[in-house]
Amino acid sequence: MDFFDPGKKYAVLSLFTFCVLISCLSAEIEKMRYDSPLVVEEIHVGVILDMKSREGRIVLSCISAAVSDFYQLHKNYSTRVVLHSRDSKGEPLHALSAALNLLNDIKVEALIGAQTSMEAHLLADLGEAAKVPVMSLSEPSPPPLNDNKYPFRIGIIPDQTSLAMAISAIFDIFKWKDVTLVYDENTDYGKNIIPAVVNSFQETNVCIVHTSSIAASSTNEQIIEELHKLMELKTKVFLVHISHLLVPRLFLNAKKLGMMSDGYVWFMTSSSMNFLHSMDSNVIESMEGVLGLKSHIPASTGLQNLTSRLRRKFYIEYPNMEVTELSPYGIWAYDATWVLAEAVERTRSKNYTKSFSKHGVVLLREILQTGFKGLSGEVQYPDGKLTSGGFEIVNVVGKEERTVGFWPCKEEKTTKESCMPLSNRRNLLFTDNLETINWPGRSKRQLSSEIKLRIGVPVKVGFKELVGVEHDLQTNRTYVTGISIDVFETAIKALPYKVHYEFFPFENANGVMAGAYNDLVYQVYLKNYDAVVGDTTITSNRSQYVDFTIPYTDLGVGMLVPNEKDNMWIFLKPLSTGLWITSAGFFILTGFVVWLIERPVNEEFQGTRWQQIGTIFWFSFSTLVFAHREKLLNNLAKFVVIIWVFVVLILTSSYTATLASMMTVKQIQLNSVGSYIGYQSGSLGVIMNLNFKGIKPYRSVEEYANALSKGSKHGGVSAIIDEVPYINIFLAKYSADYSMIKTRSTTNGFAFVFPKGSKLVHDVSRQIEHMREEGKLIEMEKTWSLRKTTLMSEEATTTDPSTLDLYSFRGLFLVTGISSAFALFLFLIFSTTFRNLIRKQLQLIGRQLQRLRMYSCPI
């Protein structure tokens, strides 16, 4: 082929020219398509922030940048979000007024803002009424009991529950069981977290033993005064949830007082740690050793570019406001704006109705269904709440913060890649997950979770099986023994953390108890003791200022009485004399009636005169044990015997029960003149509640026995009223001569005493439950003679048996008497044999009378 041929050269040139023209035309058409004005719909969105605050300016700048970046990427969208900003001036009412203006005048279709809890509450109510989505930067106050109360509110920041769970998990790994909560006073911001923290702490058995509230308006003198109160507490672990504006004054003053030294732990929530970068270097330096949580925002190129752009913007617009990094609130607002813009486009692209109220519902649904990977991670709002991306565990070292771990975490060794979205399950941490932590005072040693207790014990003269105090003068040591001590020590050893304790007898210089039991218990309230271990009864009055564990002994009080002395005639005492005579008479009467009815037809009731008399007595008294062997032939006799057997059954049962009671205990009349009741010295309240008169105090088992042996007539007492454990100790030594009757559940048993709110109440109570289930408590009671081998039944001790009299059984005898008379009457009327017998007897009598007259007349 000859390339230089003129014809061919022309053809190639023509083809090349054609291709160039086609390319230019296509480019021009494409350019015209993009340059032509696109018909877009403007969607008005209101932004309500405190424009004079640092945070308000950052958040507004992030929202504006989000709108610009979104439509730079989505130029072909048919909608455009138009922002209308309003200044709330930090006042909830100004925020509400601005929202009304935006809704009524501008006709905005969504609101972004609510930097405070009160603003969130007001705007949530307004959004519900207007059916307009409200994207909120804080949680409403008070927190709604029902999550569906504000369906148009969308929380664009993590809720307090995830923060509380993270705090609880970290406290659990360090085994901190007691904590003091420091929060903002008179602000919903500080109070809102308390319910969530308390609920989460309950799962890990952490106890908030003290709360300290500090107002943002407090002076330095007031803050120092509050810090002095914190220094006096035993608990040196402080959970701080305050505004970042209050942080500088709190920690600068704490450092002056020496509270940033070894032995203290300061743990800050993300509410303050998220703003640590904006604080002065001297403030950060004063916080050295502080551990806390910071919302996790993963590093990315997009975040770096946004930060650089806004830093230049702030440098121009606000030269005095230095921004080194964006706050999490600004980043969350940035992502929320992207979600809103995308949801707005979806509502228009799906040709939804343009009705204002209907559009709000549709827009809300689209926002909740929209999700994407934003600057803060995976962004979604299920149930109107932002899915938490987790927290960084940061430690303040020198003048900077250092990340030492993450929560929640997947791997045993934590890296940034191991942070995962929060789930409903509690994610556990281990100390291996964390890097080395610098504690206050530049200490590498973790604050010990051990607890040290000063325990008060009562000093008793008797009943040392419960608690006894002995002083060894040779070794100058004090020994405390008893079942109370054994139960307490066993429970403490079973706890999952160490508790060091020391017993201090509650005594004066003479070695005598320094007061009553109420005085001893009140020492815990006065913080002179950390607990009381001994035979301390649970009462409602004491429970007003201390907490009790569950009882470890039997409940209630009992009555201690001497057993009845041997009496050979005691078997006669159950029935009165009149009842004995009446019963015997009816036995004979019934036998006679049966004999009279059966004799004419029954050979077993016939014979000589003496045989018939023996039969009458034998038959009647044999019914007492249902041993009569004579066969009855007459139905009337059978009727009489059936009624009589029923009467005999009632008599014998009553007799047996009364005799058994009389042979078991001696019955006393407590309210009779001259009877005295004994009680244990120091427990007068127990017996006073039972309304007894004539009372005498005693202190030991020996004194109890001596008083009961004398009786009321000889300077002693007729009975002792005391709590069941004391009586069991007494009966372990004197069970042969005395018995317990009339037990009543009028007291709540013995328990251990702790200060109000102490976590040891729950933990020790749980161990007591385990000991009771495993049978260890019963074994200890047997060891210390608190468990009797035999117990009287409640039925035998609840009533006082007395002699049975005729009055109580007059109905029975009336029934059997009428029955016998009725049967005899019928027998006389209808019995032919008996009538013939009577006729013969009458004839015999008539002949005898005639003979007498004949002999009496003279011849």
Side-chain angles (χ1 to χ4, degrees):
M1 175 180 179
D2 188 0
F3 183 77
F4 297 99
D5 182 19
K8 294 180 179 181
K9 184 177 180 181
Y10 177 78
V12 172
L13 183 61
S14 299
L15 179 63
F16 175 76
T17 303
F18 178 76
C19 292
V20 171
L21 291 176
I22 293 297
S23 298
C24 292
L25 182 61
S26 299
E28 187 65 23
I29 293 174
E30 184 71 15
K31 182 175 183 301
M32 291 176 61
R33 186 169 70 90
Y34 276 102
D35 289 346
S36 61
L38 180 65
V39 178
V40 297
E41 181 182 359
E42 293 185 347
I43 306 299
H44 301 282
V45 174
V47 180
I48 304 174
L49 299 167
D50 183 2
M51 301 303 178
K52 294 184 179 179
S53 68
R54 174 190 176 92
E55 190 62 24
R57 293 169 179 174
I58 292 177
V59 171
L60 179 61
S61 298
C62 289
I63 293 174
S64 300
V67 172
S68 176
D69 294 345
F70 181 83
Y71 291 113
Q72 185 67 29
L73 184 64
H74 302 93
K75 294 181 179 179
N76 59 332
Y77 275 18
S78 62
T79 57
R80 292 291 185 272
V81 169
V82 179
L83 300 176
H84 300 270
S85 61
R86 294 292 185 273
D87 187 3
S88 68
K89 301 179 181 179
E91 296 291 337
L93 292 180
H94 279 285
L96 179 61
S97 176
L100 289 172
N101 171 260
L102 291 169
L103 289 171
N104 295 329
D105 298 342
I106 308 299
K107 305 298 182 182
V108 295
E109 299 186 24
L111 292 171
I112 304 176
Q115 290 178 269
T116 67
S117 298
M118 184 56 68
E119 290 179 14
H121 174 76
L122 295 174
L123 294 187
D125 281 334
L126 184 61
E128 175 65 19
K131 305 302 180 185
V132 170
V134 177
M135 310 189 82
S136 177
L137 285 163
S138 62
E139 295 188 0
S141 177
L145 298 178
N146 184 1
D147 290 339
N148 296 325
K149 182 178 180 180
Y150 300 122
F152 281 85
R153 176 191 173 273
I154 303 166
I156 62 176
I157 64 172
D159 62 1
Q160 302 281 24
T161 303
S162 59
L163 175 60
M165 291 178 64
I167 295 171
S168 179
I170 295 173
F171 272 59
D172 190 40
I173 67 168
F174 289 115
K175 304 301 179 185
W176 295 329
K177 296 299 180 181
D178 291 333
V179 60
T180 296
L181 175 63
V182 182
Y183 66 96
D184 278 355
E185 183 182 15
N186 299 327
T187 63
D188 298 320
Y189 169 82
K191 296 177 182 178
N192 282 353
I193 196 176
I194 294 179
V197 169
V198 170
N199 292 336
S200 189
F201 276 170
Q202 286 179 347
E203 299 182 21
T204 54
N205 199 21
V206 177
C207 180
I208 299 177
V209 297
H210 184 77
T211 57
S212 174
S213 56
I214 301 176
S217 59
S218 299
T219 62
N220 282 336
E221 290 74 17
Q222 292 173 325
I223 294 176
I224 292 174
E225 181 182 355
E226 189 65 27
L227 290 174
H228 276 296
K229 295 178 182 178
L230 298 181
M231 292 177 67
E232 297 175 358
L233 299 176
K234 288 182 174 293
T235 302
K236 302 301 180 183
V237 179
F238 304 111
L239 173 61
V240 182
H241 181 72
I242 59 176
S243 168
H244 64 282
L245 301 176
L246 188 56
V247 168
R249 289 192 293 154
L250 176 65
F251 283 98
L252 288 173
N253 286 309
K255 185 174 183 180
K256 291 179 182 178
L257 297 177
M259 298 181 70
M260 302 304 297
S261 58
D262 188 17
Y264 287 89
V265 169
W266 295 86
F267 190 91
M268 293 180 60
T269 65
S270 57
S271 61
S272 300
M273 294 301 287
N274 284 341
F275 300 95
L276 190 65
H277 62 275
S278 64
M279 299 180 188
D280 294 338
S281 58
N282 64 324
V283 175
I284 299 176
E285 189 176 5
S286 70
M287 297 170 59
E288 184 167 13
V290 170
L291 191 67
L293 290 172
K294 179 181 178 181
S295 299
H296 177 62
I297 305 296
S300 64
T301 303
L303 179 59
Q304 294 176 354
N305 293 335
L306 177 63
T307 303
S308 299
R309 288 160 46 201
L310 294 185
R311 286 181 64 183
R312 291 192 296 270
K313 178 177 183 293
F314 291 138
Y315 180 77
I316 297 173
E317 297 180 1
Y318 309 105
N320 297 327
M321 191 177 79
E322 182 180 359
V323 178
T324 57
E325 63 179 85
L326 298 180
S327 69
Y329 289 90
I331 298 172
W332 289 325
Y334 181 94
D335 288 342
T337 305
W338 271 66
V339 171
L340 176 61
E342 181 66 31
V344 164
E345 179 65 22
R346 289 185 181 183
T347 59
R348 295 305 190 264
S349 63
K350 294 180 180 180
N351 296 321
Y352 285 118
T353 177
K354 295 291 184 71
S355 171
F356 186 77
S357 60
K358 299 274 186 167
H359 185 261
V361 176
V362 174
L363 179 58
L364 173 66
R365 183 166 63 244
E366 290 297 332
I367 292 174
L368 298 180
Q369 294 176 354
T370 301
F372 78 109
K373 185 174 181 60
L375 297 182
S376 61
E378 293 295 332
V379 181
Q380 286 182 323
Y381 303 105
D383 301 324
K385 298 177 182 179
L386 174 65
T387 302
S388 174
F391 298 91
E392 297 179 27
I393 305 172
V394 297
N395 184 209
V396 179
V397 180
K399 296 183 179 181
E400 61 182 7
E401 62 183 50
R402 181 168 60 90
T403 301
V404 297
F406 293 85
W407 186 91
C409 57
K410 290 181 179 178
E411 306 296 336
E412 185 172 342
K413 295 293 184 180
T414 304
T415 62
K416 288 189 177 181
E417 288 72 25
S418 68
C419 190
M420 63 179 181
L422 180 67
S423 64
N424 290 330
R425 298 176 56 188
R426 178 175 298 279
N427 300 90
L428 300 179
L429 285 172
F430 303 94
T431 52
D432 292 341
N433 296 123
L434 305 177
E435 298 179 9
T436 302
I437 297 174
N438 288 330
W439 301 100
R442 298 187 177 181
S443 172
K444 302 291 184 181
R445 180 178 59 88
Q446 176 188 336
L447 180 65
S448 174
S449 59
E450 298 178 357
I451 300 175
K452 297 180 180 180
L453 301 177
R454 289 172 49 88
I455 299 176
V457 294
V459 179
K460 302 177 65 68
V461 175
F463 299 99
K464 294 187 176 181
E465 292 85 353
L466 286 165
V467 58
V469 178
E470 299 293 340
H471 298 285
D472 190 337
L473 299 180
Q474 294 181 350
T475 60
N476 196 27
R477 297 183 62 184
T478 300
Y479 297 93
V480 183
T481 59
I483 186 175
S484 299
I485 305 302
D486 287 356
V487 172
F488 177 78
E489 291 182 337
T490 303
I492 291 298
K493 290 178 182 178
L495 295 177
Y497 48 89
K498 293 183 179 180
V499 177
H500 294 288
Y501 54 87
E502 185 177 357
F503 295 113
F504 293 87
F506 185 56
E507 59 185 359
N508 55 25
N510 299 324
V512 181
M513 190 160 170
Y517 274 77
N518 284 340
D519 300 324
L520 173 58
V521 172
Y522 197 66
Q523 299 302 310
V524 177
Y525 177 76
L526 297 177
K527 299 182 180 180
N528 294 327
Y529 293 138
D530 301 313
V532 169
V533 173
D535 51 341
T536 312
T537 304
I538 303 173
T539 66
S540 59
N541 180 51
R542 294 170 181 172
S543 298
Q544 294 178 5
Y545 47 92
V546 294
D547 280 345
F548 288 92
T549 63
I550 63 173
Y552 59 89
T553 61
D554 293 331
L555 309 183
V557 298
M559 179 185 295
L560 192 63
V561 297
N563 291 338
E564 177 70 32
K565 295 182 179 179
D566 295 338
N567 185 350
M568 62 183 296
W569 303 107
I570 192 173
F571 69 91
L572 295 176
K573 288 188 175 183
L575 305 183
S576 64
T577 303
L579 186 55
W580 277 116
I581 295 173
T582 304
S583 300
F586 269 86
F587 270 105
I588 298 172
L589 176 63
T590 303
F592 174 76
V593 172
V594 172
W595 169 81
L596 193 62
I597 296 174
E598 288 288 327
R599 180 180 177 276
V601 295
N602 195 334
E603 294 180 356
E604 294 185 7
F605 288 85
Q606 298 174 1
T608 64
R609 179 176 299 177
W610 292 109
Q611 286 178 337
Q612 295 183 49
I613 293 174
T615 300
I616 292 174
F617 281 95
W618 161 254
F619 180 83
S620 60
F621 284 99
S622 64
T623 58
L624 187 64
V625 289
F626 312 105
H628 49 283
R629 69 177 185 275
E630 291 78 8
K631 185 177 181 180
L632 302 180
L633 302 178
N634 193 302
N635 288 333
L636 292 175
K638 294 178 181 179
F639 170 72
V640 171
V641 171
I642 289 174
I643 299 299
W644 176 245
V645 168
F646 173 74
V647 174
V648 170
L649 178 63
I650 300 298
L651 283 173
T652 54
S653 300
S654 303
Y655 174 85
T656 303
T658 305
L659 180 61
S661 299
M662 287 184 171
M663 295 181 69
T664 304
V665 295
K666 176 184 178 181
Q667 303 309 311
I668 59 176
Q669 298 296 329
L670 297 178
N671 294 324
S672 62
V673 177
S675 294
Y676 288 91
I677 303 297
Y679 70 96
Q680 186 180 170
S681 178
S683 59
L684 181 60
V686 173
I687 193 170
M688 291 300 292
N689 292 334
L690 300 177
N691 298 320
F692 285 114
K693 299 179 180 179
I695 56 178
K696 294 182 179 181
Y698 300 99
R699 299 186 297 175
S700 65
V701 170
E702 292 73 19
E703 291 183 3
Y704 275 11
N706 183 46
L708 288 171
S709 63
K710 290 181 179 180
S712 296
K713 296 181 180 180
H714 302 285
V717 294
S718 299
I720 297 288
I721 302 293
D722 209 343
E723 295 184 76
V724 172
Y726 298 119
I727 294 180
N728 287 342
I729 293 174
F730 178 89
L731 291 177
K733 296 183 179 180
Y734 300 98
S735 59
D737 300 322
Y738 303 93
S739 299
M740 178 174 64
I741 64 172
K742 297 179 74 68
T743 56
R744 297 180 183 177
S745 299
T746 56
T747 61
N748 299 314
F750 300 154
F752 305 128
V753 180
F754 291 98
K756 278 284 188 182
S758 173
K759 67 177 181 59
L760 286 171
V761 174
H762 175 271
D763 292 353
V764 174
S765 295
R766 178 178 294 178
Q767 297 305 322
I768 293 175
E769 289 177 351
H770 291 166
M771 294 165 63
R772 180 173 286 113
E773 293 171 357
E774 296 170 359
K776 292 182 179 179
L777 279 183
I778 295 179
E779 294 178 1
M780 292 181 182
E781 289 175 350
K782 291 180 179 179
T783 302
W784 290 98
S785 303
L786 262 73
R787 177 64 58 178
K788 296 189 297 181
T789 56
T790 58
L791 292 175
M792 295 177 58
S793 66
E794 281 295 317
E795 295 180 358
T797 62
T798 54
T799 59
D800 290 336
S802 58
T803 300
L804 302 175
D805 55 16
L806 177 60
Y807 186 82
S808 302
F809 295 91
R810 66 189 187 278
L812 284 175
F813 290 116
L814 181 63
V815 170
T816 187
I818 294 175
S819 301
S820 298
F822 179 69
L824 186 59
F825 174 74
L826 293 178
F827 174 74
L828 294 176
I829 294 177
F830 298 106
S831 176
T832 304
T833 304
F834 186 76
R835 287 200 304 271
N836 293 334
L837 179 62
I838 295 298
R839 187 181 299 111
K840 290 180 180 179
Q841 293 295 330
L842 291 176
Q843 291 175 354
L844 179 61
I845 292 173
R847 286 195 295 269
Q848 293 293 335
L849 291 174
Q850 187 177 3
R851 289 176 184 177
L852 289 175
R853 286 196 298 271
M854 291 177 62
Y855 286 121
S856 62
C857 294
I859 300 176

